[in-house]
């Protein structure tokens, strides 16, 4: 379906001052060419479509077809002389000022002597390009400048190159690099664009992609390589067709569309033959089939052969939607392959636009109101001419490219009108006697003849149009130009000006037809996208104006989807985001009829506001706008009201008003823990502590934690990238710290808050100096260990706790608040906290026991060290602030060395510093394979200490008598025991143990 509007895409028009009535026209860049007979007039096109003559030059033959290539700045023609067609390229044509200037004629690829080449600097050159067959059509690559020529049975590719004559002069030349042999299709038109080849006959279109094979770059195969062949079935059909066809019968093949690999089975044979230099690399060595489409004429139009021919084949490259930042990048962009290539071709009553790169597919179909003669495709428009009208249609190129280059397209962040959206005709402009059209930059060139009688370019019998049997094509030579011909250059208006008109036009549909309003604004949006595609040609001022209009168009589309009843109302969110409008600016565009229960708010507006309030925008709504938002959700989405009120953007909402609407939720049957928590938060803002406590007491602590998980912003909000605790969180810190810790832990377990964010929250709540953690944060870390939060690194958490315990013990600093859990609670609830070794209690003196906070921190640290989960070696650096000179430090260091199995060092330390703990230590730690240390290490050391005497003599003696000798006598034989006893000891002292050992042996 094609929608029709009456807009004004065309601006001023000028008559090109041709000397002779033109027969062929083409142009590009700032040049326009008009051919009449054996003469070509060149014109310079300046701003505002001002066209001035630049020069005139003659051609060897009558010009049948011609094309201009902006890369290389050359003109190429197919000419006829003495009933023979030939191909010529005109280079350095800008030096041809008058018709009598000297002209150099040379063959393609002909090497020129250096002295002779100096004459080429200031004169035009005509390059003759011999072909094995007569040329029928031609096309220039708009990116590289390569030339493709279509013949009856083959396509010839000439690569553009520059022959370096000397350091100061290089000469443009061509090299015949590839021949594409094709069977079963006769080219009427061809198109070429960086490896993409399109071939069109009267009823068939074939699109190929030439590719290079890395394996074949080292050598060149100069023999034809068949890459695809027709099906045998097709050959049989063609043979049967030739036999059955007669004057009474016409065989019509069925219409066919083959995409991708399926197009290999079209029946068209394609063979590549490299013709470049032997020592050169093969540029194209493989061919990929992309599209084959065959049309079948309507039998009713059998007598009207011109109505069943394809025309206007064109490949259009598109690079990017965003302009490069620097001109150097723009130059580099042109050397890259296009992001997308489109192919257009047309029947007299319908046009077809395909995307032929990643992947191949039909993009749009254009239904013309009249029979078309020719069409040209641009990134912004499709211009079509009939015998009396110039028609301007919209295209979907920018929509396709936007989705290919931006992965965030069609999400909540970005949106673009769909590719499948109906195209529209912006204007049908009356022009009498249109014959031909071409386009470059923002100019449309029109060739007209007042005589309405058509001059067909190709005349064939209807029967030949219906089959492939006749493979000969005759290019009709245009007659001598007659009076009544005119050449116009029409300037299209700027995209911003046309956009303004489309927006104004859409206002008439705003309240009448929803889809028409959205459709026209979408067309305006795509128009601006297309204008931004080639940023290298935009002036900085033009680009800034386009970007501003683009944002404005996003705002208009957001307004449509937010206010109008449409199934795609969710698109209001991405369009408003792309518009750059703030939430307050969007709300100010809403027509607030008044705060009454009957007012209806559309889904798009509610969807946008709801998402915006959930995204923690650094924007605070005024009290008036906040009240309107609360009323809107009360009327339309009451279930979302608690979440809305928790948004930082709603900070200025009037608390009594918010509480009024929250109480109405009970009447609606919506009563939950989230509503109760929201009411408690609002009551706290009002200073009503009784109401706050009533709401908090209405649910158990476990359910309150679930409520905070449902809406984390009740506790913490993000402002300017920082986590900020709410007033409710500050109040809970003072009144219910356990609930606060459990709630933040619940948020972390449900991925509602990160590890660093949670730590930062408690630091902000409790304050504290640099490097010291408040007790509430330590409680939170301990709760993390108990809860075993999966994504929290266990070792990191251990390091945090150990460092805090050590810092407090070393500085004798008490916690700022009462800890939520004791060491015993942690050992009972968490396996990471192990049972403390009994001998460690020997270090605690009565004065230390009186300091409960100190002993609790020491017990927690000792319990962590005794636990099974941590790498003790990695903890040792954290223990350096805790000196061994203190009882607490000594116990901790001995515990760590014991975990590291440094028993002998521990025994030495205990004998020296705490002999009363030696026997309990040995009894608990020296077991199994370590039991030998009783008599190998401990017993000799005790004997040595006793021999030395001193203040601790009695402690050493008691330890020796209590356990050391008993264990040795129990474990060793008589001779072994005698060997470990000191030689100078008193026999009476050791005799009981020797008798016990002897009796033990007798009993055994």
């Amino acid at each position: 379906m094609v929608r029709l509007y009456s807009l004004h895409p065309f601006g001023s028009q000028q008559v090109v001052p041709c000397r002779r009535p033109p027969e062929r026209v083409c142009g590009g860049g700032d040049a326009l060419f008009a051919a009449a007979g054996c003469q070509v007039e060149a014109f310079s096109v300046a701003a505002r479509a001002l066209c001035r003559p630049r020069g005139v030059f003659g051609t060897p033959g009558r010009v049948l077809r011609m094309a201009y290539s902006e890369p290389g700045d050359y003109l190429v023609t197919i000419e006829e002389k003495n009933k023979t067609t030939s191909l010529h390229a005109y280079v350095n044509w800008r030096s041809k000022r008058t018709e009598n200037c000297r002209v150099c004629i040379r063959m393609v690829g002909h090497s020129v002597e250096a002295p002779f080449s100096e004459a080429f600097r200031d004169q035009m050159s005509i390059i003759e390009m011999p072909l094995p067959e007569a040329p029928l059509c031609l096309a220039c690559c708009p990116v590289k400048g390569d030339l493709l020529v279509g013949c009856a049975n083959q396509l010839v590719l000439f690569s553009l190159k520059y022959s370096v004559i000397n350091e100061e002069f290089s000469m443009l030349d061509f090299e015949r690099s590839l021949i594409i042999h094709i069977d079963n299709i006769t080219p009427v038109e061809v198109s070429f664009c960086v490896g993409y080849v399109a071939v069109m006959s009267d009823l068939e279109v074939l699109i190929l992609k030439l590719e290079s094979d890395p394996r074949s770059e080292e050598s060149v195969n100069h023999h034809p390589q068949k890459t695809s062949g027709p099906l045998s079935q097709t050959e049989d059909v063609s043979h049967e067709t030739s036999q059955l066809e007669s004057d009474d019968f016409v065989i019509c093949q069925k219409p066919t569309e083959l995409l991708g690999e399926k197009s290999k089975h079209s029946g068209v044979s394609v063979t590549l033959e490299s013709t470049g230099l032997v020592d050169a690399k093969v540029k194209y060595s493989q061919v990929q089939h992309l599209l084959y489409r065959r049309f079948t004429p309507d039998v009713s139009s059998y007598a009207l052969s011109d109505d069943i021919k394809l025309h206007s084949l064109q490949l259009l490259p598109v690079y990017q939607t965003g302009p490069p930042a620097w001109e150097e990048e723009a130059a580099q962009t042109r050397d890259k392959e296009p992001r997308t290539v489109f192919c257009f071709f047309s029947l007299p009553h319908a046009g077809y636009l395909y995307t032929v790169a990643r992947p191949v597919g039909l993009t749009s179909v254009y239904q013309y109101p009249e029979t078309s003669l020719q069409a040209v495709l641009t990134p912004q428009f499709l211009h079509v001419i009939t015998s009396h009208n110039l028609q301007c249609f919209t295209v979907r190129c920018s929509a396709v490219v936007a989705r290919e280059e931006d992965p965030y397209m069609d999400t909540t962040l970005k949106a673009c009108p769909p590719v499948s959206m109906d195209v529209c005709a912006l204007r049908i402009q009356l022009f009498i006697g249109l014959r031909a059209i071409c386009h470059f930059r923002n100019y449309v060139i029109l060739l007209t003849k007042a005589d309405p009688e058509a001059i067909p370019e190709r005349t064939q019998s209807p029967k030949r149009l219906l089959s492939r049997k006749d493979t000969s094509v005759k290019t009709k030579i245009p007659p001598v130009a007659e009076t009544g011909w005119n050449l116009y250059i029409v300037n299209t208006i700027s995209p911003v000006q046309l956009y303004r008109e489309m927006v104004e036009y859409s206002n008439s549909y705003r309240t009448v037809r929803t889809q028409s309003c959205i459709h026209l604004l979408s067309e305006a949006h795509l128009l601006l996208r297309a204008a931004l595609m080639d940023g290298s040609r935009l002036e900085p001022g033009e680009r800034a104006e386009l970007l501003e209009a683009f944002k404005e168009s996003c705002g208009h589309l957001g307004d449509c989807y937010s206010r109008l009843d449409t199934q795609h109302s969710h698109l209001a969110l991405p369009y408003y985001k792309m518009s750059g409008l703030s939430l307050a600016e969007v709300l100010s565009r809403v027509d607030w009829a008044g705060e009454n229960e009957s007012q209806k708010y559309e889904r798009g507006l509610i969807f946008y506001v709801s998402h915006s309030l959930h995204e923690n925008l650094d924007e605070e709504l005024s009290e008036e706008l906040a009240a309107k938002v609360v009323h809107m959700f009360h009327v339309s989405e009451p279930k979302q009201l608690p979440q809305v009120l928790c948004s930082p953007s709603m900070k200025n909402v009037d608390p009594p008003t918010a509480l009024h609407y929250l109480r109405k939720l009970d009447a609606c049957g919506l009563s939950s823990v989230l509503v109760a928590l929201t009411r408690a938060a609002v009551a706290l803002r009002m200073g009503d502590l009784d109401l706050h406590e009533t709401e908090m007491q209405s649910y158990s602590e476990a359910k309150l934690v679930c409520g905070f998980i449902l809406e984390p912003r009740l506790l913490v909000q993000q402002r300017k990238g920082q986590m900020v605790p709410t007033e409710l969180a500050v109040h809970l810190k003072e009144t219910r710290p356990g609930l606060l810790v459990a709630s933040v832990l619940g948020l972390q377990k449900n991925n509602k808050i990160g590890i660093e964010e949670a730590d930062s929250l408690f630091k902000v709540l409790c304050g504290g100096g640099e490097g010291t953690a408040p007790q509430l944060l330590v409680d939170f870390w301990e709760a993390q260990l108990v809860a075993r939060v999966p994504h929290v690194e266990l070792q990191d958490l251990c390091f945090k706790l150990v460092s805090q315990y050590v810092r407090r013990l070393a500085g004798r600093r008490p916690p700022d608040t009462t800890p939520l859990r004791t060491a015993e609670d942690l050992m009972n609830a968490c396996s990471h906290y192990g049972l403390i070794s009994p001998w460690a209690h020997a270090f605690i003196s009565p004065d230390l026991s009186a300091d409960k906070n100190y002993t609790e921190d020491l017990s927690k640290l000792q319990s962590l060290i005794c636990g099974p989960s941590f790498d003790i070696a990695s903890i040792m650096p954290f223990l350096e602030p805790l000196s061994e000179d203190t009882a607490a430090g000594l116990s901790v260091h001995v515990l760590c060395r014991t975990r590291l199995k440094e028993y002998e060092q521990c025994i030495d330390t205990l004998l020296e510093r705490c002999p009363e703990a030696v026997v309990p230590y040995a009894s608990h730690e020296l077991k199994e394979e370590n039991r030998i240390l009783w008599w190998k290490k401990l017993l000799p050391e005790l004997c040595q200490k006793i021999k030395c005497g001193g203040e601790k003599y009695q402690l050493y003696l008691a330890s020796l008598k209590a356990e050391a000798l008993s264990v040795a006598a129990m474990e060793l034989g008589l001779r072994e025991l005698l060997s470990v006893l000191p030689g100078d000891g008193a026999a009476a002292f050791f005799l009981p143990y020797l008798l016990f050992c002897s009796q033990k042996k007798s009993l055994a």
Side-chain angles (χ1 to χ4, degrees):
M1 177 182 175
V2 177
R3 298 171 182 260
L4 178 61
Y5 300 104
S6 182
L7 299 169
H8 302 84
F10 306 115
S12 62
Q13 68 181 46
Q14 303 288 335
V15 177
V16 181
C18 299
R19 296 182 182 181
R20 300 175 59 184
E23 300 168 1
R24 295 286 182 269
V25 291
C26 68
D30 63 343
L32 173 63
F33 300 91
C38 297
Q39 188 180 79
V40 175
E41 296 183 62
F43 300 90
S44 176
V45 182
R48 299 181 181 179
L50 295 178
C51 192
R52 298 176 182 177
R54 189 179 187 95
V56 181
F57 55 87
T59 59
R62 188 180 184 86
V63 178
L64 304 181
R65 296 190 182 220
M66 67 177 180
Y68 171 75
S69 173
E70 190 172 352
D73 190 25
Y74 69 88
L75 179 73
V76 61
T77 62
I78 295 178
E79 303 171 12
E80 188 273 341
K81 185 176 181 180
N82 298 329
K83 298 183 179 180
T84 302
T85 56
S86 58
L87 183 68
H88 295 94
Y90 297 82
V91 300
N92 204 21
W93 57 270
R94 295 180 188 270
S95 301
K96 182 72 173 176
R97 296 295 182 181
T98 62
E99 205 168 350
N100 297 324
C101 291
R102 293 181 58 185
V103 175
C104 174
I105 301 177
R106 55 188 171 91
M107 294 289 289
V108 64
H110 178 66
S111 60
V112 182
E113 299 281 338
F116 180 70
S117 65
E118 296 295 329
F120 293 167
R121 287 177 180 271
D122 301 320
Q123 66 181 19
M124 184 180 73
S125 296
I126 302 177
I127 303 177
E128 295 186 359
M129 300 180 175
L131 295 168
E133 298 180 1
L136 302 177
C137 48
L138 52 83
C140 300
C141 175
V143 180
K144 302 291 186 181
D146 297 340
L147 172 64
L148 183 68
V149 183
C151 304
N153 297 303
Q154 62 187 18
L155 308 176
V156 183
L157 178 62
F158 291 90
S159 297
L160 181 66
K161 69 175 186 177
Y162 289 89
S163 300
V164 179
I165 305 302
N166 52 47
E167 295 181 356
E168 300 179 356
F169 179 58
S170 60
M171 183 176 61
L172 186 144
D173 203 354
F174 296 87
E175 178 188 356
R176 190 175 69 173
S177 57
L178 185 68
I179 296 178
I180 308 173
H181 298 274
I182 55 175
D183 296 330
N184 297 327
I185 185 172
T186 303
V188 172
E189 292 185 24
V190 294
S191 187
F192 183 68
C193 179
V194 285
Y196 291 90
V197 177
V199 186
M200 184 181 76
S201 67
D202 288 321
L203 290 173
E204 295 170 291
V205 176
L206 177 66
I207 302 178
L208 310 169
K209 183 180 181 182
L210 303 177
E211 298 176 331
S212 59
D213 185 3
R215 297 171 299 177
S216 64
E217 285 188 355
E218 298 298 329
S219 61
V220 179
N221 191 349
H222 291 268
H223 301 285
Q225 296 296 316
K226 193 169 185 178
T227 58
S228 175
L231 294 177
S232 58
Q233 180 181 359
T234 307
E235 296 177 351
D236 295 341
V237 171
S238 300
H239 180 67
E240 293 176 5
T241 301
S242 62
Q243 290 181 341
L244 293 176
E245 214 170 65
S246 65
D247 294 337
D248 299 327
F249 296 96
V250 174
I251 304 300
C252 299
Q253 297 181 356
K254 65 180 181 179
T256 303
E257 181 187 46
L258 301 175
L259 302 177
E261 291 296 319
K262 294 182 180 179
S263 60
K264 287 184 177 180
H265 308 306
S266 61
V268 178
S269 174
V270 179
T271 308
L272 300 185
E273 178 184 356
S274 177
T275 58
L277 298 177
V278 176
D279 58 347
K281 291 184 179 181
V282 178
K283 188 174 183 181
Y284 301 115
S285 58
Q286 294 180 344
V287 62
Q288 178 184 358
H289 291 246
L290 301 178
L291 170 69
Y292 172 78
R293 180 147 188 186
R294 178 175 61 223
F295 297 89
T296 298
D298 188 357
V299 178
S300 62
S301 62
Y302 173 77
L304 303 175
S305 60
D306 289 338
D307 287 348
I308 53 175
K309 294 179 182 178
L310 290 166
H311 64 76
S312 304
L313 177 67
Q314 181 182 350
L315 289 173
L316 177 69
V318 176
Y319 299 94
Q320 58 183 14
T321 56
W326 306 99
E327 293 184 2
E328 290 81 5
E329 294 181 9
Q332 295 174 3
T333 302
R334 290 187 173 276
D335 294 335
K336 298 177 182 178
E337 287 195 5
R339 181 173 292 276
T340 305
V341 176
F342 296 91
C343 181
F344 176 81
F345 50 86
S346 180
L347 285 169
H349 294 284
Y352 301 88
L353 179 63
Y354 279 84
T355 305
V356 296
R358 299 189 300 268
V360 183
L362 180 63
T363 301
S364 303
V365 177
Y366 296 86
Q367 299 292 336
Y368 309 136
E370 300 179 24
T371 302
S372 64
L373 300 178
Q374 194 178 352
V376 288
L377 176 69
T378 73
Q380 300 177 23
F381 304 110
L382 173 68
H383 300 292
V384 181
I385 61 169
T386 67
S387 58
H388 300 291
N389 288 317
L390 169 62
Q391 302 173 5
C392 179
F393 295 87
T394 57
V395 295
R396 299 289 170 262
C397 299
S398 58
V400 173
V401 176
R403 287 171 170 82
E404 287 193 359
E405 71 174 6
D406 196 338
Y408 294 102
M409 195 59 64
D410 297 325
T411 65
T412 57
L413 298 177
K414 294 182 181 180
C416 181
V419 178
S420 59
M421 185 176 67
D422 293 339
V423 296
C424 71
L426 297 179
R427 184 75 178 177
I428 298 181
Q429 184 73 39
L430 179 64
F431 260 96
I432 302 300
L434 287 170
R435 290 293 178 269
I437 182 175
C438 69
H439 177 276
F440 59 93
R441 289 165 62 184
N442 59 326
Y443 307 123
V444 177
I445 313 301
L446 299 174
L447 182 61
T448 66
K449 184 176 183 296
D451 184 6
E453 183 178 354
I455 303 176
E457 295 187 8
R458 305 190 301 267
T459 57
Q460 302 156 355
S461 67
K463 186 186 302 182
R464 199 197 76 67
L465 295 171
L466 303 178
S467 69
R468 293 176 177 164
K469 182 179 70 172
D470 186 4
T471 59
S472 63
V473 174
K474 297 180 180 179
T475 304
K476 184 173 179 63
I477 303 172
V480 178
E482 303 173 6
T483 59
W485 290 84
N486 277 312
L487 186 62
Y488 296 96
I489 179 168
V490 180
N491 186 23
T492 56
I493 67 174
S494 69
V496 175
Q497 183 179 348
L498 181 58
Y499 158 75
R500 303 287 183 205
E501 184 183 2
M502 296 172 78
V503 171
E504 183 179 355
Y505 196 102
S506 68
N507 291 332
S508 60
Y509 293 106
R510 190 173 296 275
T511 57
V512 182
R513 295 182 61 191
T514 302
Q515 295 302 323
S516 295
C517 177
I518 293 177
H519 183 273
L520 192 53
L521 288 175
S522 298
E523 293 287 6
H525 179 85
L526 290 177
L527 172 69
L528 296 175
R529 273 191 181 273
L532 286 167
M533 271 200 268
D534 192 0
S536 60
R537 294 187 177 183
L538 294 175
E539 296 294 333
E542 292 177 326
R543 181 176 181 270
E545 186 182 18
L546 278 171
L547 288 175
E548 188 64 28
F550 179 79
K551 292 182 179 179
E552 183 183 304
S553 74
C554 294
H556 287 313
L557 283 170
D559 291 341
C560 279
Y561 286 111
S562 66
R563 300 174 189 174
L564 303 177
D565 186 14
T566 169
Q567 60 178 344
H568 301 295
S569 57
H570 62 280
L571 293 177
L573 176 62
Y575 279 120
Y576 274 140
K577 281 181 175 291
M578 295 163 61
S579 71
L581 294 171
S582 66
L583 176 59
E585 289 172 333
V586 172
L587 292 175
S588 64
R589 296 157 73 108
V590 177
D591 183 17
W592 303 98
E595 295 188 6
N596 55 75
E597 301 291 334
S598 62
Q599 183 175 1
K600 181 182 179 183
Y601 300 95
E602 295 297 340
R603 292 175 298 169
L605 178 62
I606 297 172
F607 184 78
Y608 164 73
V609 176
S610 175
H611 270 262
S612 299
L613 293 178
H614 274 79
E615 289 178 358
N616 297 321
L617 302 175
D618 293 328
E619 177 186 4
E620 294 180 1
L621 298 179
S622 65
E623 182 177 346
E624 180 184 0
L625 284 178
K628 291 179 178 179
V629 169
V630 171
H631 177 263
M632 179 178 67
F633 279 93
H634 167 69
V635 172
S636 304
E637 290 288 338
K639 292 182 179 180
Q640 295 190 34
L641 195 55
Q643 289 90 341
V644 169
L645 290 171
C646 293
S647 171
S649 301
M650 299 291 290
K651 179 182 178 181
N652 297 323
V653 67
D654 182 44
T657 302
L659 190 60
H660 167 72
Y661 285 114
L662 285 171
R663 282 172 173 167
K664 286 189 174 183
L665 294 179
D666 293 336
C668 300
L670 181 63
S671 180
S672 67
V673 63
L674 182 56
V675 177
L677 284 173
T678 309
R679 283 201 291 251
V682 174
L684 192 62
R685 289 182 57 190
M686 295 171 61
D688 192 344
L689 296 181
D690 293 336
L691 177 59
H692 166 78
E693 194 61 30
T694 301
E695 295 292 346
M696 295 297 293
Q697 293 290 348
S698 60
Y699 289 94
S700 65
E701 183 174 301
K703 288 191 175 181
L704 291 177
V705 171
C706 293
F708 286 122
I709 293 173
L710 290 175
E711 185 46 77
R713 291 178 299 178
L714 283 166
L715 291 177
V716 59
Q717 296 178 353
Q718 188 172 6
R719 294 178 184 173
K720 297 181 180 180
Q722 301 293 327
M723 303 301 294
V724 180
T726 63
E727 187 177 351
L728 178 58
V730 174
H731 184 72
L732 291 178
K733 166 188 167 287
E734 302 295 337
T735 58
R736 297 189 176 193
L739 173 60
L740 179 62
V741 170
S743 300
V744 177
L745 183 64
L747 296 180
Q748 193 176 65
K749 292 178 70 175
N750 288 273
N751 298 318
K752 298 295 183 68
I753 190 173
I755 298 173
E756 298 298 330
E757 293 172 343
D759 291 357
S760 175
L761 171 64
F762 284 106
K763 290 178 181 179
V764 174
L765 269 172
C766 305
E770 187 68 24
T772 60
Q775 177 57 41
L776 205 58
L777 179 55
V778 176
D779 291 330
F780 176 66
W781 291 338
E782 292 171 350
Q784 285 180 315
L785 268 185
V786 173
R788 300 180 182 181
V789 181
H791 51 275
V792 175
E793 185 65 33
L794 194 61
Q795 292 295 329
D796 292 343
L797 194 56
C798 171
F799 296 156
K800 291 178 182 179
L801 288 169
V802 167
S803 62
Q804 291 304 315
Y805 294 149
V806 169
R807 185 175 285 109
R808 286 197 211 162
L809 291 170
R812 299 296 294 261
R813 300 171 185 170
D816 54 339
T817 58
T818 303
L820 297 179
R821 294 174 186 262
T822 64
E824 185 177 357
D825 295 335
L826 292 172
M827 285 186 282
N828 292 333
C830 178
S831 61
H832 299 304
Y833 283 89
L835 293 176
I836 303 173
S837 300
W839 54 266
H841 297 294
F843 294 89
I844 306 301
S845 59
D847 58 330
L848 288 180
S849 301
D851 190 346
K852 186 176 180 182
N853 291 323
Y854 188 86
T855 55
E856 279 295 320
D857 286 336
L858 179 59
S859 297
K860 290 178 180 179
L861 179 58
Q862 291 174 339
S863 179
L864 265 183
I865 295 173
C866 293
S869 306
F870 307 115
D871 181 15
I872 297 300
S874 61
I875 293 179
M876 293 299 289
F878 294 93
L879 302 179
E880 291 180 1
L882 195 59
S883 173
E884 292 189 37
D885 295 338
T886 64
L890 180 61
S891 67
V892 169
H893 283 282
V894 172
L895 275 173
C896 290
R897 293 194 190 103
T898 301
R899 288 287 308 276
L900 296 174
K901 298 184 178 181
E902 298 175 358
Y903 300 108
E904 294 188 25
Q905 185 179 353
C906 291
I907 290 173
D908 291 337
T909 302
L910 292 176
L911 286 173
E912 185 67 30
R913 300 287 306 281
C914 190
E916 61 269 23
V918 168
V919 171
Y921 176 84
S923 300
H924 190 267
E925 303 295 343
L926 303 183
K927 298 178 180 178
E928 298 178 357
E929 69 272 9
N930 298 317
R931 200 168 180 79
I932 191 175
L933 294 177
W934 276 95
W935 52 88
K936 289 292 186 181
K937 176 67 179 177
L938 182 58
L939 193 149
E941 289 292 339
L942 285 173
C943 292
Q944 185 65 29
K945 293 289 184 181
I946 293 171
K947 187 184 299 184
C948 295
E951 296 179 358
K952 300 179 181 180
Y953 172 82
Q954 293 298 329
L955 289 175
Y956 296 139
L957 184 60
S959 299
L960 181 64
K961 294 173 65 176
E963 288 291 337
L965 285 173
S966 299
V967 171
M970 181 67 69
E971 297 292 334
L972 301 178
L974 184 59
R975 289 185 179 181
E976 294 171 337
L977 180 60
L978 284 172
S979 66
V980 299
L981 293 178
D984 56 350
F989 180 82
F990 295 107
L991 185 58
Y993 302 98
L994 293 171
L995 290 174
F996 174 80
C997 186
S998 176
Q999 292 173 359
K1000 179 187 68 174
K1001 183 177 181 182
S1002 301
L1003 291 173

